Amino acid sequence: MHSSQDALLNLWKKIFNQLHEASAYAELLSCSYLSRSKTHLDLKTAERNIELQKRHIYFFRIMESGIAYATVLSITKLFESKERLSILNVINEAKKFKIDVTADFESLGKNHGKTLKQLKTARDEFFAHRRKDLEKTNVPSRDDIFALLHAIAELLKKIGSSMSPGHGHTWDYENEGFARDTRMSFQLMIENLYRGEQARLAEIEIEYSKKL
């Protein structure tokens, strides 16, 4: 493989890694919202989670705000022309090796235009340059975000398979990037916080080697 194609492969891998990071951010944001949903969970579990998060409000409020920020920016920067780790950049680099997925990229933009517009509006008017009259913003649904991430993964996989030699990358649709692992970790954290709360109510002393 020529050194210039080595550079293309390196760029391609970095963007795929960024896509996996975005999947973790998006899933964590979804978990945070759904953990309080009385329609997604049974009433008893949802109310227990709400009370638990109220007790740790400064952690959960800042975490949710920060993860929303990370979700929006990690995806929107993939579509910024001046960003080195952007889809446009890897598409242009791929063209040097007669790999042209321009039509696929245009189709992606058309099929997921609403989601991309919501993300860009959230970025431009709230997270990056907050409008004075805007106190909150709307982020696309989890389903819409992951439909977009899947489409980006397919585009990148097409570029990878067209290289010489071809390259694949793990994007398990059941796993959805890092989504499943993120969801399991969030659930474990909630359960451990609940156990700790039960210990507090029972006045059971817990020793720590070092406190923050």
Side-chain angles (χ1 to χ4, degrees):
M1 186 185 297
H2 299 298
S3 59
S4 53
Q5 191 164 331
D6 283 339
L8 170 61
L9 178 60
N10 187 48
L11 176 62
W12 177 82
K13 287 180 177 179
K14 286 182 178 180
I15 294 176
F16 235 130
N17 289 338
Q18 188 170 307
L19 195 66
H20 278 80
E21 286 185 18
S23 74
Y25 297 144
E27 186 64 20
L28 184 54
L29 182 61
S30 174
C31 287
S32 184
Y33 279 121
L34 292 179
S35 66
R36 304 189 299 271
S37 172
K38 296 179 181 179
T39 56
H40 182 73
L41 299 173
D42 63 89
L43 183 62
K44 182 180 179 180
T45 301
E47 289 183 341
R48 185 193 73 183
N49 289 344
I50 289 170
E51 288 303 312
L52 187 66
Q53 291 181 33
K54 279 183 180 178
R55 179 162 179 79
H56 304 280
I57 190 168
Y58 291 106
F59 169 78
F60 281 99
R61 180 185 291 172
I62 296 301
M63 181 205 70
E64 196 167 284
S65 177
I67 291 300
Y69 177 91
T71 300
V72 170
L73 266 66
S74 65
I75 299 173
T76 54
K77 72 179 183 179
L78 288 171
F79 292 86
E80 294 177 5
S81 58
K82 294 181 180 180
E83 181 68 38
R84 179 178 174 275
L85 296 181
S86 73
I87 299 172
L88 288 170
N89 193 13
V90 76
I91 287 175
N92 289 333
E93 289 299 313
K95 286 179 181 178
K96 297 176 182 178
F97 302 93
K98 297 182 180 181
I99 303 171
D100 192 350
V101 294
T102 304
D104 301 85
F105 181 68
E106 291 174 351
S107 178
L108 184 153
K110 182 178 180 180
N111 294 336
H112 301 277
K114 181 180 178 182
T115 303
L116 288 167
K117 184 177 180 180
Q118 280 184 289
L119 289 167
K120 189 176 186 305
T121 298
R123 178 200 178 281
D124 293 347
E125 298 184 359
F126 191 78
F127 291 113
H129 312 285
R130 187 166 301 188
R131 271 176 27 195
K132 292 181 180 179
D133 61 330
L134 202 62
E135 294 184 359
K136 62 180 180 178
T137 190
N138 293 319
V139 175
S141 69
R142 182 202 182 277
D143 288 347
D144 287 343
I145 287 177
F146 273 91
L148 173 61
L149 296 182
H150 291 327
I152 296 171
E154 283 300 306
L155 180 70
L156 292 173
K157 285 167 70 175
K158 186 171 184 178
I159 293 174
S161 64
S162 299
M163 293 183 196
S164 179
H167 291 273
H169 204 288
T170 303
W171 183 264
D172 185 344
Y173 283 92
E174 183 179 349
N175 215 8
E176 297 183 302
F178 290 154
R180 184 170 61 186
D181 293 335
T182 302
R183 185 165 56 252
M184 291 172 63
S185 293
F186 186 89
Q187 182 64 41
L188 183 62
M189 179 190 69
I190 289 290
E191 290 173 359
N192 285 337
L193 281 174
Y194 183 67
R195 292 189 186 100
E197 186 67 7
Q198 294 300 101
R200 183 189 69 82
L201 293 173
E203 297 184 345
I204 298 173
E205 290 292 331
I206 299 176
E207 293 185 4
Y208 296 92
S209 58
K210 185 177 181 181
K211 292 186 178 181
L212 295 176

